[in-house]
Amino acid sequence: MHDILLLVVAAAIIVLPGTALLLALTVRRWLWVFGVAPAATIGVATLTAEACTVLHVPYGLPALAVATVILFALGLLWWLLGWRRSAETPRTATPGWARVVSVLGMLMALGGIGYGVRMWISALHGLGTLPQEHDTIVHTELTAYIQRTGHGAPWQLLPVDLLSGKPVQFYPSGMHLLAAAASAITGNPIEGLNAVTAILLGIGLPLSAEIG
């Protein structure tokens, strides 16, 4: 149950900020929203971390949540304005067979997504499994550093010395920003990184491929 709750939180962190951004940009095709949301979320997290650095506040789940709420508010405002304008525009009816095909395609996609996430969780043997390879160890260290210090801007990562934070060498850290936010739930960066990895590859990748 612990792992399931953390996976749900990780899925929300990966999907909601990007969805809010796309709605604020007046994207209304839901297939595009779900397919692009994970990538858009990384952009939101990166800009949020940069804003936190400028404002001298730590980056983390609360900061990302505030940015998401602001974007959702903008999206709601644009939606209300657009709804009033589109109320006078007649809509073309969708054929019944097209709806059936859409539902079948959605069910197949959901089945593939569920199977993919299950495979990742089974392979990990639990979200608390320690990384066993050099690359994943570095990812975990960077996630823990962001969670501990609240430093998430590109010019603050990746420090060679994790204690002093210096010297810094650039490292793409979009996924680590999401993992650090998820880690705030349990305080465990290993669980946060594993959960975000499973959701990104199990859900984000199939959805993005669906619109490709």
Side-chain angles (χ1 to χ4, degrees), residues 59-77:
Y59 168 82
L61 184 58
L64 187 59
V66 169
T68 302
V69 170
I70 293 174
L71 291 172
F72 264 125
L74 289 175
L76 178 61
L77 175 62

Side-chain angles (χ1 to χ4, degrees), residues 7-212:
L7 286 171
V8 172
V9 171
I13 291 173
I14 290 170
V15 173
L16 292 182
T19 300
L21 173 62
L22 294 170
L23 293 179
L25 295 175
T26 67
V27 176
R28 294 295 179 263
R29 295 184 61 180
W30 287 106
L31 181 60
W32 280 90
V33 170
F34 289 126
V36 180
T41 292
I42 291 178
V44 173
T46 301
L47 292 176
T48 301
E50 294 175 356
C52 287
T53 302
V54 174
L55 298 174
H56 301 287
V57 296
Y59 168 82
L61 184 58
L64 187 59
V66 169
T68 302
V69 170
I70 293 174
L71 291 172
F72 264 125
L74 289 175
L76 178 61
L77 175 62
W78 302 149
W79 181 81
L80 291 174
L81 294 176
W83 179 79
R84 292 178 180 177
R85 295 175 183 175
S86 62
E88 303 176 356
T89 304
R91 296 184 178 182
T92 304
T94 304
W97 63 267
R99 295 180 180 178
V100 173
V101 171
S102 297
V103 171
L104 291 176
M106 184 180 300
L107 291 176
M108 293 176 63
L110 290 175
I113 288 172
Y115 182 76
V117 173
R118 181 178 180 277
M119 290 298 294
W120 270 97
I121 299 304
S122 299
L124 287 171
H125 297 288
L127 298 180
T129 301
L130 296 173
Q132 303 295 318
E133 193 266 335
H134 173 269
D135 197 43
T136 50
I137 292 175
V138 172
H139 294 321
T140 306
E141 290 175 345
L142 181 54
T143 298
Y145 177 78
I146 297 172
Q147 178 197 356
R148 177 176 61 85
T149 64
H151 296 165
W155 56 86
Q156 296 175 316
L157 308 170
L158 167 73
V160 176
D161 185 353
L162 296 175
L163 295 179
S164 66
K166 299 177 182 180
V168 175
Q169 57 181 2
F170 172 77
Y171 192 87
S173 54
M175 183 186 73
H176 308 87
L177 294 173
L178 307 184
S183 301
I185 302 300
T186 63
N188 189 330
I190 296 173
E191 292 180 337
L193 180 61
N194 285 338
V196 167
T197 300
I199 296 299
L200 274 178
L201 297 180
I203 297 180
L205 186 59
L207 286 178
S208 62
E210 187 72 18
I211 66 171

